[in-house]
Amino acid sequence: MSLPLENFFKQVDALSEPFIDRLRKAVAIPSISAEDERRPDVFKMGDFLASELEAVGAQVEKRYLGKQPHKEHLDLPPVIVARYGHDKSKRTISVYGHYDVQPAQKEDGWATEPFELSIDENGRMYGRGSTDDKGPVLGWLNVIEAHRKANIDFPVNLLMCFEGMEEYGSEGLDEFVREESQKYFAGTDAVCISDNYWLGTEKPCLTYGIRGCNYYSVCISGPGQDLHSGVFGGSTQEPMTDLVRVLGSLVDTHGAIEIPGLMDLVAPLSDEEIATYSGISYSMNNLYESLGSTTAVFDNEQQTLMARQALSCQWRYPSLSIHGIEGAFSAPGAKTVIPAKVIGKFSIRTVPDMQPDDVDELVFKFVKEEFAKLGSKNTLEVSLQHSGKWWVANPKHWNYNAASRAAEHVWGVKPDLTREGGRFTSILSISG
Amino acid sequence: MSLPLENFFKQVDALSEPFIDRLRKAVAIPSISAEDERRPDVFKMGDFLASELEAVGAQVEKRYLGKQPHKEHLDLPPVIVARYGHDKSKRTISVYGHYDVQPAQKEDGWATEPFELSIDENGRMYGRGSTDDKGPVLGWLNVIEAHRKANIDFPVNLLMCFEGMEEYGSEGLDEFVREESQKYFAGTDAVCISDNYWLGTEKPCLTYGIRGCNYYSVCISGPGQDLHSGVFGGSTQEPMTDLVRVLGSLVDTHGAIEIPGLMDLVAPLSDEEIATYSGISYSMNNLYESLGSTTAVFDNEQQTLMARQALSCQWRYPSLSIHGIEGAFSAPGAKTVIPAKVIGKFSIRTVPDMQPDDVDELVFKFVKEEFAKLGSKNTLEVSLQHSGKWWVANPKHWNYNAASRAAEHVWGVKPDLTREGGRFTSILSISG
């Protein structure tokens, strides 16, 4: 280890108490973006973050995004942007994080108070947001502070982007990033987001890809209004009968998508890619734990092989899920209505090299053909509700090499290189 | 026509103004059983009915049924029971009707004020409840009054049962009738209910049967909790995928039930029964009007034959309807969750001679077999939610003959003898 790096780590250790104290203060602010009455706390957390950033020497701006769509009585919390360093000879890294959190109550099953940072006998810290995502956000402040205290030149320019609505759909963020990509974030050489999953609990992950999502509606209608099944059952063609048949033709129990041509759009698996799976720590038990059951598509006979298959299916092959039906009876109990118009919802997780438009074309054609086979007098409409494209990066890019070396240095183990199946949040598309 | 009958009809004509006036007063009371805030009006209507019954000489009792289940802040309106005549040499007829109504607002599309009786240039009367069911209920008072005024002996003993919750599931009525069948209603020789449909608008109907209903749940579960489709789509077996396949195996677009053996339970069609269809007034247009569309199971090529087929399917063959799915996404918009547990609901309308238990057995066996074919690791449970048996009477019974002759006398046309597909209300099972 170089002398400057050694000095840096000494400072990190020396500063661990103030670092933990800063996290404790952050965890204590219940900045829950999904609860209207907590919105002032989200703003309070934004203020706290901005003043801490200023204290470590960053140039901070609060960018306000206006009113919350569909909840116009609420202001959206600001995106906190900050710059640290402006040296043209250095690379510029844009980093993202979020300072809001999910709801949490002790009654939900927490062993400790969720909005108090608790430390157990092994030094593990518990508290809402400690990992998702206040801890990683404050990590950037810690790294700046340790460099300053150690009197070491910061090796890159940092552009920071911390939002306060991640747990509620990142309202307003897409537009903000698009608008600023060639302004505030101009000159970005690489992006780093610390807000993802590890596969287990022992080894860090570097994510280099994520699946896309094409979301479809299949609407089948017939009668002019809902009908009583006692009176009309047997004399009218029922939209629900047609819909379950159409939905039933899309995918089988084992996850095989039955839309002809769809799998041909998937990039072939290369030897190089196969090699990336070999070092990954993952067992079927990891999957069973996540599912809360053993109803995996795969069997358990050849543990390693199957785990690899499970993982690769989670991120490198498409999948089709049927989410539900709008317009039919969905409450507990019994209701005997024949619904006049029902809308089935399903989505396809897409992967390289599937072009969203090609997927649409195959889906529309197949759904119409399957419906035509029924010989029904009802009316079918199939449409795309929204689509988000997959993303994949080159895991051999210098940014990944740097991240991998850093992670190995700290954790003593090479991190897993993973893709994710699909994210809750949208993807930042800052050009780099 | 016999002299007494002639005198009776003269009195009916003479009394038409007070008869219409009584109906006007009844329509003006918005006795909507489904709206909490109208409950006092339902009681008011019960009081009005009881005092009018007393005025024509009936012995009236109000029978209170206690609090409304699941809405304990509301009292159930009383069943108004009344006796007219107690002559052991006469037959005793029990009659049923209801004095509550459905909600109605001018804005719903009414041409006139719903709670004002309006009379058009052809003498047709409009007003909520004028046919369903205040008019038919007051008809019993009218017939008593006209006999009295004409000084003619009333030919039967009448036992009347008028409830105030018919439009809200007849809460409490089943228990009341069961309890009183050998008490208040003891000695009943026949029952008459005036609260059903005509097939068109020109010809009265006498109903002699109704289909039953077996209502089923199919629950499929797998994962321990709802999963994110982006992350887990492709690696878990999805209960929704299995459920749409199982539901899709039950019935085809043309209404054919695919459960082996089920149709074998249906009583064969006799020549005698075929003959009853020949005189019935019904066209495909009647059906299209009711459906609000032309998505009938039948084609229109041979009008008469097909109309007969349509009708016979409405009441003499079973039908299977899929009503909806509990536990899946059912709102407008897009949600990408993989539901962990979904419950499909369907019902079979049953007919003579299908025994409900035999139907259950065939359904359970078929659903389990279809699920087994999928080779799924998910768990299936199929169960009966409730069943109500079909009912059919002999349309040649003296009660039907009397009703048919009376209807023909007034309308100048033989009434249609029909069955119904299934009723909204439960069936009165007074022994007779």
Side-chain angles (χ1 to χ4, degrees), chain A residues 22-58:
Chain A
R22 181 153 57 205
L23 180 59
R24 182 177 290 116
K25 285 176 188 156
V27 166
I29 303 170
S31 52
I32 303 166
S33 48
E35 293 179 355
D36 289 15
E37 66 277 19
R38 291 298 191 185
R39 188 57 51 90
D41 290 307
V42 184
F43 277 82
K44 190 176 161 194
M45 180 64 208
D47 291 343
F48 172 76
L49 180 59
S51 70
E52 293 291 316
L53 279 163
E54 272 165 8
V56 299

Side-chain angles (χ1 to χ4, degrees), chain B residues 344-363:
Chain B
K345 316 273 181 89
F346 68 94
S347 69
I348 298 177
R349 293 286 163 173
T350 56
V351 297
D353 296 323
M354 300 169 85
Q355 296 305 314
D357 292 352
D358 295 345
V359 174
D360 293 350
E361 200 177 306
L362 292 174
V363 166

